[in-house]
């Protein structure tokens, strides 16, 4: 991926302008890219109790209404010089269909509004946002707030502690995707490394570690050095590097909210058997951060 010229937008189900639409429009305009709009078809719950014939008629009318709305959006985008296409999809297995579309159209970013779900809902049914975080093979931009302007500040959360080739490769993919977005938006790029006091930060530890002020200072210093070395390969300014003590699931969102970052870039590594309610660090950050998320699948 070396450009953002093919974007896929999942439109808001209520057929109204949304932050994701605004962000997709701004990106397409900035990159002279093509925007593919997708609307998931679903029958409103109030019509689900109708008999088969009435339900079939209601579904057809609902689909026609949605296609007409999509046509209006494509026309409006075209008037702004944006090449756009649109289609509807049945929502029976949206994850599979969206991934197929992304691959067929060689999409470089999938964009969607964040949909907040209750803890009960997350426990009983895995939300589409979480399904995409775990399975989407292309950069996934979940948008919380956006207008016609592009983000000016982007925060990238990396994990340089684990000596794991998969995580090392993911860190590289995260930063490359973040730089691509930053160039398109002409935004400032900041890197953040969060670390928790644990034995994994002390390679020679064979027993529980006493976290004295001296040891914390030593480990923090080594974390800064790793971050500086990593950032130097990508030309990131030293004053844009941040090392914070604390759990990433808390530190990242707190720092982004305090300093007004508009996009937080994070990686996702999902393994089968992971607790559905707890989710990954990125999933936990999704509802805490005020800004949008760009998730890069490992």
């Amino acid at each position: 991926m070396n450009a953002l010229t093919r974007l896929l937008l999942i439109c808001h189900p209520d057929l109204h302008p949304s932050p994701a639409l605004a962000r997709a429009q701004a990106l397409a305009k900035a990159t002279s890219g093509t925007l593919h709009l997708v609307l998931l078809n679903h029958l409103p719950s109030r019509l689900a109790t109708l008999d088969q014939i009435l339900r079939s008629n209601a579904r057809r009318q609902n689909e026609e209404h949605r296609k007409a709305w999509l046509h209006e959006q494509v026309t409006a985008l075209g008037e702004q010089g944006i090449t756009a296409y649109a289609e509807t999809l049945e929502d029976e297995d949206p994850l599979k269909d969206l991934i197929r579309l992304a691959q067929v159209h060689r999409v470089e970013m999938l964009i969607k509004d964040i949909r907040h779900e209750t803890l009960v809902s997350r426990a009983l049914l895995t939300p589409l946002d979480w399904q995409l975080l775990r399975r989407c093979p292309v950069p996934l931009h979940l948008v919380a707030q956006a207008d016609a302007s592009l983000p000016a500040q982007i925060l990238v959360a990396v994990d340089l502690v684990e000596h794991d080739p998969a995580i090392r490769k993911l860190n590289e993919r995260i930063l490359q995707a973040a730089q691509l977005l930053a160039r398109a938006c002409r935004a400032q790029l900041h890197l953040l490394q969060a670390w928790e006091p644990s034995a994994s930060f002390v390679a020679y530890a064979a027993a529980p570690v006493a976290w004295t002020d001296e040891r914390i200072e030593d480990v923090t210093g080594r974390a800064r050095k790793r971050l500086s070395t990593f950032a130097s390969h990508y030309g990131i300014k030293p004053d844009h590097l941040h090392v914070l003590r604390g759990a990433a699931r808390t530190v990242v969102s707190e720092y982004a909210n305090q300093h007004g970052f508009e996009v937080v870039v994070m990686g996702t590594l999902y393994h089968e058997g992971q607790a559905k309610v707890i989710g990954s660090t990125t999933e936990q950050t999704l509802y805490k951060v005020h800004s949008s998320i760009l998730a890069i699948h490992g």
Side-chain angles (χ1 to χ4, degrees):
M1 182 179 69
N2 53 21
L4 286 177
T5 56
R6 293 182 294 273
L7 307 173
L8 176 63
L9 169 69
I10 303 175
C11 297
H12 196 283
D14 293 336
L15 310 185
H16 61 61
S18 70
L21 176 58
R23 177 59 49 78
Q25 177 180 317
L27 280 173
K29 204 165 188 177
T31 62
S32 299
T34 298
L35 182 56
H36 196 103
L37 283 68
V38 172
L39 189 58
L40 300 180
N41 267 335
H42 72 279
L43 191 65
S45 58
R46 68 181 183 277
L47 303 178
T49 57
L50 297 175
D51 65 40
Q52 186 174 356
I53 295 177
L54 291 176
R55 188 164 59 247
S56 177
N57 290 335
R59 184 178 292 277
R60 186 181 66 255
Q61 292 174 5
N62 183 59
E63 184 173 357
E64 290 174 354
H65 175 59
R66 289 170 172 267
K67 285 182 177 179
W69 183 85
L70 280 175
H71 179 72
E72 292 175 3
Q73 307 313 305
V74 170
T75 301
L77 290 166
E79 291 172 352
Q80 299 181 50
I82 298 172
T83 301
Y85 304 92
E87 66 179 288
T88 60
L89 285 177
E90 294 302 323
D91 65 349
E92 293 178 1
D93 191 357
L95 179 65
K96 180 180 178 180
D97 289 335
L98 289 168
I99 290 176
R100 175 184 56 81
L101 272 181
Q103 293 172 335
V104 167
H105 295 286
R106 294 183 295 170
V107 167
E108 293 152 336
M109 182 180 290
L110 193 154
I111 306 171
K112 181 185 180 299
D113 291 286
I114 292 176
R115 178 168 179 170
H116 291 269
E117 304 282 357
T118 66
L119 187 62
V120 173
S121 175
R122 281 177 266 161
L124 297 177
L125 298 170
T126 304
L128 180 57
D129 289 4
W130 281 30
Q131 293 182 49
L132 288 167
L133 282 172
R134 297 174 182 182
R135 302 298 186 193
C136 185
V138 301
L140 171 65
H141 192 16
L142 294 173
V143 185
Q145 301 178 40
D147 51 29
S149 62
L150 290 166
Q153 289 198 104
I154 298 172
L155 180 66
V156 185
V158 294
D159 181 0
L160 303 175
V161 176
E162 294 284 348
H163 300 288
D164 182 334
I167 294 180
R168 187 161 55 245
K169 184 177 180 180
L170 179 57
N171 283 325
E172 293 171 356
R173 291 188 61 202
I174 290 169
L175 193 48
Q176 289 166 2
Q179 285 191 312
L180 194 62
L181 179 61
R183 283 197 295 269
C185 301
R186 297 184 179 180
Q188 290 187 355
L189 203 60
H190 290 245
L191 266 62
L192 184 150
Q193 166 71 68
W195 71 272
E196 290 182 87
S198 69
S200 65
F201 286 85
V202 185
Y204 54 79
V209 175
W211 287 97
T212 62
D213 291 343
E214 292 78 10
R215 190 177 299 280
I216 289 174
E217 184 177 349
D218 174 59
V219 175
T220 302
R222 283 189 281 137
R224 286 199 184 99
K225 185 176 181 180
R226 282 195 295 267
L227 184 60
S228 179
T229 300
F230 177 72
S232 66
H233 294 130
Y234 296 91
I236 309 298
K237 298 178 180 179
D239 60 342
H240 286 190
L241 307 181
H242 315 282
V243 174
L244 300 176
R245 178 185 171 194
R249 60 184 177 273
T250 301
V251 167
V252 173
S253 57
E254 288 181 349
Y255 191 83
N257 293 341
Q258 289 170 2
H259 295 274
F261 286 96
E262 293 137 301
V263 178
V264 177
V265 187
M266 303 181 72
T268 62
L269 277 174
Y270 175 72
H271 302 285
E272 292 293 346
Q274 185 175 356
K276 286 203 300 183
V277 178
I278 297 175
S280 69
T281 299
T282 306
E283 289 166 2
Q284 293 178 65
T285 303
L286 183 64
Y287 296 154
K288 295 178 182 177
V289 72
H290 298 159
S291 59
S292 303
I293 293 279
L294 177 62
I296 311 301
H297 191 271

